[in-house]
């Protein structure tokens, strides 16, 4: 074969290879990365409340970030979470527990990367609604009588804690007593103002949502959570029989499962 013939043969092979690559479906050439799961804790808790859920998600290959929630104000807390979200490349599944639901409902607003919201025993407020108002919308919450004496803040207002002696029964009845005692001692307070602050956004109106909660929640009545899930057009609602307000601590497998279900739609 002459040099010219060899050159033409190589050129034809290169063109065929290039055409095959172009013609190959995107799924065969580049697999979509899994979404990042961002977890936002609620009042009277901290990021360690996700410790049972995190390894289950990581084992499935999901990047996970459990962000700190200052529990000072809905607007301020949402702004801090929003800043974290903006630093993440690619699709995001945003998960909130309790008051953290109010935070994610505001933090996700306007961020196209947030593809799904998961409310874990959480508030999903309408614009103008507060966590306190939603909790009182239906009977059943016993949080008020379980609170300790308010702590006056130097700049005005009060910090709220759950009385440690009442913490187990009120907040984490289905968690072993020794573990609940640790949670009670390390609980983070929330300002009274934050619980009564009206939400400025309702991201669940524009972003698909999933809900999971316990039937024995004493902080947010199950009836209130059912109402919020239905109003939000929840894609999937899981009610864990007998679970307390910290369903992610007592039933991390079921919480991780619904997060994964939400994540499965985030890259479709």
């Amino acid at each position: 074969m002459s040099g010219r013939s060899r050159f033409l043969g190589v050129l034809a092979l290169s063109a065929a290879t290039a055409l095959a690559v172009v013609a190959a479906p995107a799924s065969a050439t580049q697999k979509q990365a899994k979404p990042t799961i961002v977890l936002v804790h609620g009042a009277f808790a901290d990021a360690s409340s996700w410790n049972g859920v995190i390894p289950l998600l990581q084992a499935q290959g999901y990047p996970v970030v459990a962000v700190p929630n200052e529990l000072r104000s809905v607007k301020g807390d949402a702004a801090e979470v929003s800043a974290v979200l903006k630093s993440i490349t690619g699709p995001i599944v945003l998960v909130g527990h309790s008051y953290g639901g109010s935070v994610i409902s505001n933090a996700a607003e306007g961020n196209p990367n947030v593809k799904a919201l998961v409310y874990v025993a959480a508030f999903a407020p309408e614009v103008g609604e507060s966590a306190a108002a939603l909790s009182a919308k239906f009977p059943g919450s016993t949080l008020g009588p379980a609170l300790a004496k308010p702590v006056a803040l130097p700049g005005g207002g009060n910090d709220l804690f759950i009385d440690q002696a009442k913490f187990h029964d009120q907040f984490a009845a289905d968690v072993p007593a020794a573990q609940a005692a640790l949670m009670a001692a390390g609980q983070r307070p929330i300002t009274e103002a934050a619980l009564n602050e009206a939400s400025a956004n309702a991201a669940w109106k524009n972003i698909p949502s999933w809900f999971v909660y316990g039937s024995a929640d004493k902080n947010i009545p199950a009836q209130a959570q059912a109402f919020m899930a239905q109003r939000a057009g929840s894609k999937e609602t899981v009610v864990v029989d007998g679970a307390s307000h910290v369903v992610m601590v007592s039933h991390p497998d079921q919480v991780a499962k619904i997060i994964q279900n939400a994540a499965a739609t985030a890259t479709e």
Side-chain angles (χ1 to χ4, degrees):
M1 181 183 291
S2 68
R4 176 179 173 79
S5 297
R6 284 196 299 271
F7 173 76
L8 291 175
V10 170
L11 184 62
L13 179 61
S14 298
T17 301
L19 181 61
V21 170
V22 171
S27 59
T29 57
Q30 183 177 8
K31 186 177 180 181
Q32 173 67 52
K34 289 194 172 184
T36 299
I37 312 298
V38 178
L39 306 169
V40 181
H41 69 82
F44 317 115
D46 59 22
S48 69
S49 59
W50 299 109
N51 282 357
V53 173
I54 292 171
L56 298 178
L57 296 173
Q58 290 176 330
Q60 297 301 314
Y62 291 99
V64 182
V65 179
V67 300
N69 186 2
E70 296 297 325
L71 309 175
R72 302 293 86 189
S73 72
V74 175
K75 182 178 180 180
D77 297 336
E80 292 192 8
V81 172
S82 178
V84 173
L85 298 178
K86 290 174 183 175
S87 74
I88 297 172
T89 302
I92 297 168
V93 175
L94 186 56
V95 185
H97 171 242
S98 191
Y99 164 80
S102 296
V103 175
I104 69 171
S105 296
N106 285 269
E109 191 69 23
N111 188 326
N113 283 351
V114 180
K115 304 300 184 182
L117 301 171
V118 182
Y119 291 88
V120 180
F123 294 106
E126 173 63 276
V127 174
E129 286 181 337
S130 69
L134 279 168
S135 185
K137 190 175 184 69
F138 298 93
S141 176
T142 55
L143 177 60
L147 294 175
K149 181 180 178 181
V151 176
L153 295 170
N158 294 312
D159 253 347
L160 303 178
F161 292 83
I162 294 178
D163 186 329
Q164 289 195 33
K166 299 176 180 178
F167 189 95
H168 188 196
D169 179 68
Q170 175 63 37
F171 199 71
D174 57 346
V175 172
Q179 184 179 1
L182 289 175
M183 293 168 65
Q187 66 178 292
R188 295 191 60 177
I190 186 168
T191 65
E192 188 173 13
L195 289 178
N196 287 283
E197 181 179 342
S199 181
N201 293 291
W204 47 264
K205 288 185 173 182
N206 304 309
I207 302 172
S209 60
W210 282 252
F211 285 72
V212 56
Y213 58 90
S215 65
D217 192 326
K218 293 184 178 181
N219 272 34
I220 310 174
Q223 190 177 358
Q225 299 191 55
F227 163 77
M228 289 184 281
Q230 182 176 15
R231 180 175 67 178
S234 175
K235 297 294 185 181
E236 179 184 6
T237 301
V238 175
V239 183
V240 183
D241 188 41
S244 70
H245 188 57
V246 289
V247 63
M248 70 288 189
V249 176
S250 58
H251 295 82
D253 51 341
Q254 290 179 261
V255 172
K257 175 61 176 174
I258 196 169
I259 293 172
Q260 290 177 63
N261 291 349
T265 72
T267 55
E268 291 180 350

